[in-house]
Amino acid sequence: MKEEIKNELVNAIDFPKEVLLNLPKITLIGKTHVTIENHKGIIEYIPERIRINTTIGVVRILGKNMIVNSIMTEIITISGEIMNIEMMV
């Protein structure tokens, strides 16, 4: 019930859901660059697999030669050969 009221309020206000509800926003550019906003930190980091904690679960990125280009309070950028992005709830 509380979640429904929250969603109705977000829909009534013309503001991005990811901002109001602190949801992760994942942006993929081609197969070489991914940005994750509203993260809660890195859980695992190896060149073939990166796992990132979010408010709704873990984002797992699989690929080759991946590196974290930058990590800030709310945004992580990753580059490399991105093969798969999974949401693990």
Side-chain angles (χ1 to χ4, degrees), residues 69-88:
N69 294 335
S70 68
I71 181 167
M72 294 179 267
T73 306
E74 295 188 14
I75 301 174
I76 294 176
T77 59
I78 298 167
S79 64
E81 188 180 334
I82 314 279
M83 300 171 120
N84 193 11
I85 299 175
E86 300 174 333
M87 200 62 217
M88 304 169 70

Side-chain angles (χ1 to χ4, degrees), residues 13-89:
I13 300 171
D14 191 22
F15 212 71
K17 284 185 179 183
E18 67 271 9
V19 173
L20 289 177
L21 300 176
N22 199 29
L23 296 172
K25 180 179 179 181
I26 302 168
T27 306
L28 178 64
I29 301 173
K31 294 178 4 180
T32 60
H33 188 84
V34 66
T35 301
I36 300 175
E37 298 177 46
N38 299 329
H39 69 89
K40 298 293 179 192
I42 295 176
I43 298 170
E44 178 182 28
Y45 176 28
I46 60 174
E48 296 80 28
R49 182 176 56 242
I50 300 173
R51 292 188 307 143
I52 299 168
N53 196 19
T54 72
T55 55
I56 60 170
V58 175
V59 175
R60 182 168 67 176
I61 304 164
L62 303 174
K64 294 180 183 175
N65 303 317
M66 294 188 300
I67 60 168
V68 174
N69 294 335
S70 68
I71 181 167
M72 294 179 267
T73 306
E74 295 188 14
I75 301 174
I76 294 176
T77 59
I78 298 167
S79 64
E81 188 180 334
I82 314 279
M83 300 171 120
N84 193 11
I85 299 175
E86 300 174 333
M87 200 62 217
M88 304 169 70
V89 281

